[in-house]
Amino acid sequence: MRIVVALGGNALLKRGEPMTAEAQHTNVRVAAAALADLARDHQIIVAHGNGPQVGLMALQAAAYAKETVWPLDILGAETEGMIGYLIEQELMNALPRGTDCATLLTRVEVDPQDPAFDQPTKPIGPVYGTEEGRQISTRNRWSMVEESKDGLRRVVPSPLPVAILGLKPIRLLVEAGVCVICAGGGGIPVVRGADGRMEGVEAVIDKDRTSALLAEALQADVLLMLTDVEAVFRDWGGPDQSAIASITPDALAAMSFAAGSMGPKIAAACNFVRGGGTMACIGRLQDARDIVEGRAGTQVRLDLLAPDHRSVTEHRCARLS
């Protein structure tokens, strides 16, 4: 099968871990092992988050020049290169010799009139203590939300992706059998001016929504969103909390999920399956194969019969014809 894998930023840098090169290298090595196992039987295209990393780079830039705020599109491009390099190197180490892999910077067009620009919701960077967070918010003029008890985190606009620019070279590489790493951090956010020229904007696009757009454009069979949570849960944090093994898009869309956490994954999963994808899956990084094969995580699909390779392949052939 053709699978677009969306690696969550928190799957690459665990919650509470220091944002060091060593920690990220260790986590990417673990991620690469799970992806390589999946790639033995399937064609994978890898996208990834950048929430913790882009926030760190913004802090580093602010420390260098307190009065200069580096644009988020440039910081996003930097994280695509940094994280893409780490994934590519460890993936190549884990895959059989002779496998081709390529990391591409990916611009993604957004609508300049998207209401998200007036309501920042995308969390990036570390969680600060309440007092420290307030001081940083005042100094840098950043919007903050309560991430946890006594903790604040920066939030930025997260407009919907409209189009993936450079889709043709991505498709050419995929069709040539290259393992492509692209659309990192949801892509570099750009808008189109009245004269057709593109320019970057202050935003971070949700990587799950961009991954769903990418999966649909590449006619992937599966959208696999990997994070640090084992599945989608009903009544999360409540007395009736329970993991959802499989569910239809309509049933899932009828539930309520937080916009800053599971909400975008739910929307991406429903959009992909409704658009013709065989299934969308959500679960833990270490369970990647088990999620695809129906033994872990949450599967979103129109047909709730137990999945098998034959039925999924036949569905793809029928969809492509």
Side-chain angles (χ1 to χ4, degrees):
M1 296 186 293
R2 178 174 291 176
I3 303 175
V4 169
V5 183
L7 288 173
N10 288 319
L12 299 174
L13 189 67
K14 295 181 176 60
R15 298 174 196 269
E17 274 190 332
M19 286 193 286
T20 63
E22 182 181 4
Q24 292 183 85
H25 228 135
T26 299
N27 290 328
V28 169
R29 191 172 296 121
V30 172
L35 294 179
D37 177 57
L38 202 60
R40 284 196 252 291
D41 299 312
H42 308 288
Q43 180 185 39
I44 64 169
I45 298 96
V46 183
H48 59 80
N50 70 344
Q53 293 82 2
V54 76
L56 172 63
M57 288 192 169
L59 282 174
Q60 291 173 336
Y64 174 72
K66 288 188 178 355
E67 303 304 318
T68 302
V69 178
W70 275 78
L72 284 173
D73 60 312
I74 294 178
L75 297 178
E78 290 180 353
T79 62
E80 272 202 274
M82 176 182 72
I83 301 171
Y85 153 69
L86 291 173
I87 294 174
E88 180 175 336
Q89 178 152 284
E90 293 303 331
L91 198 52
M92 292 293 284
N93 287 338
L95 289 169
R97 187 179 296 274
T99 303
D100 291 316
C101 188
T103 300
L104 301 179
L105 293 182
T106 312
R107 292 176 302 145
V108 175
E109 184 179 354
V110 299
D111 184 350
Q113 303 304 317
D114 192 305
F117 285 109
D118 297 320
Q119 188 175 6
T121 59
K122 179 69 175 174
I124 66 171
V127 177
Y128 304 97
T130 302
E131 185 55 36
E132 182 188 12
R134 287 173 179 161
Q135 292 175 3
I136 291 174
S137 175
T138 299
R139 184 173 68 240
N140 296 332
R141 296 186 224 179
W142 289 351
S143 298
M144 294 281 196
V145 295
E146 188 174 353
E147 176 83 358
S148 59
K149 185 178 180 181
D150 299 324
L152 298 176
R153 195 176 183 194
R154 183 188 179 189
V155 288
V156 299
S158 183
L160 293 175
V162 173
I164 298 173
L165 307 180
L167 187 59
K168 184 176 179 180
I170 294 174
R171 187 180 287 117
L172 285 172
L173 288 170
V174 169
E175 295 295 344
V178 177
C179 178
V180 178
I181 302 163
C182 63
I188 303 164
V190 297
V191 296
R192 189 182 303 274
D195 59 357
R197 291 174 58 86
M198 310 297 293
E199 59 182 58
V201 289
E202 285 293 284
V204 172
I205 307 169
D206 183 81
K207 64 100 179 38
D208 295 311
R209 290 184 179 275
T210 298
S211 296
L213 193 63
L214 177 68
E216 185 173 351
L218 296 177
Q219 295 185 308
D221 303 289
V222 180
L223 171 62
L224 176 60
M225 291 171 279
L226 299 176
T227 182
D228 58 353
V229 179
E230 63 183 278
V232 179
F233 284 81
R234 291 185 179 88
D235 191 33
W236 174 256
D240 299 321
Q241 176 178 307
S242 60
I244 300 171
S246 59
I247 191 169
T248 64
D250 288 347
L252 188 58
M255 300 179 185
S256 178
F257 297 93
S261 57
M262 195 60 74
K265 289 179 173 55
I266 301 305
C270 293
N271 289 344
F272 175 67
V273 175
R274 286 169 175 161
T278 302
M279 64 179 175
C281 309
I282 301 171
R284 295 186 303 181
L285 170 63
Q286 59 266 41
D287 298 332
R289 176 178 286 275
D290 287 340
I291 295 168
V292 171
E293 296 178 358
R295 296 186 296 273
T298 299
Q299 291 188 347
V300 183
R301 46 193 295 137
L302 294 175
D303 174 12
L304 289 181
L305 296 175
D308 59 65
H309 292 283
R310 179 178 299 174
S311 63
V312 171
T313 303
E314 288 176 350
H315 183 96
R316 171 170 162 76
C317 291
R319 184 158 56 88
L320 292 181
S321 63

